[in-house]
């Protein structure tokens, strides 16, 4: 499955309301660690397919979503399950860290 880009707040809200596992990446185009995270997100979206919805939120374009999520620095990755945030990771990490996070919530 491809990464969904939250061009509107509804994209993220609908994904989270669906009740499945959602990995939401809050970042910005000008942020170097955010750009380095993109290939990892692409791999995760491909690896997990329909089991996980990956949503990319540009904090400059969707400041209200970033504020609702309490994002203070980028990138911030939040995992939602059953409509609620269940895990949060701030900063760039290796793919294995994101895989571990998702595995905990898919089990």
């Amino acid at each position: 499955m491809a990464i969904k880009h939250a061009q509107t707040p509804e994209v993220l809200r609908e994904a989270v309301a669906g009740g499945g596992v959602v990995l939401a990446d809050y970042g910005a185009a000008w942020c170097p660690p955010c750009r380095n995270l993109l290939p990892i997100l692409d791999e995760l979206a491909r690896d997990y397919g329909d089991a996980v919805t990956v949503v990319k939120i540009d904090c400059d374009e969707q400041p209200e979503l970033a504020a609702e999520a309490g994002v203070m620095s980028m990138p911030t990755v939040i995992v939602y399950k059953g409509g609620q945030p269940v895990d949060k990771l701030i900063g760039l990490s290796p793919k294995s860290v994101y895989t571990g996070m998702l595995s905990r919530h898919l089990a």
Side-chain angles (χ1 to χ4, degrees):
M1 180 180 271
I3 295 173
K4 292 184 179 189
H5 292 270
Q7 305 294 346
T8 65
E10 288 71 34
V11 173
L12 175 64
R13 291 190 178 118
E14 286 171 11
V16 170
V21 175
V22 177
L23 184 147
D25 166 44
Y26 295 83
W30 52 264
C31 162
C34 302
R35 288 195 301 268
N36 291 338
L37 179 56
L38 277 175
I40 295 172
L41 294 175
D42 281 330
E43 286 181 31
L44 291 170
R46 200 169 43 250
D47 293 350
Y48 286 95
D50 291 336
V52 175
T53 302
V54 179
V55 181
K56 175 110 186 81
I57 298 100
D58 186 310
C59 294
D60 290 337
E61 294 174 7
Q62 301 296 330
E64 69 280 8
L65 288 179
E68 283 174 21
V71 174
M72 295 294 180
S73 59
M74 297 179 285
T76 294
V77 172
I78 299 177
V79 175
Y80 296 88
K81 183 177 182 182
Q84 299 298 315
V86 292
D87 226 330
K88 186 176 196 174
L89 188 62
I90 298 168
L92 180 63
S93 295
K95 180 183 176 186
S96 60
V97 174
Y98 302 103
T99 302
M101 261 175 48
L102 290 171
S103 295
R104 279 197 304 276
H105 299 294
L106 286 170

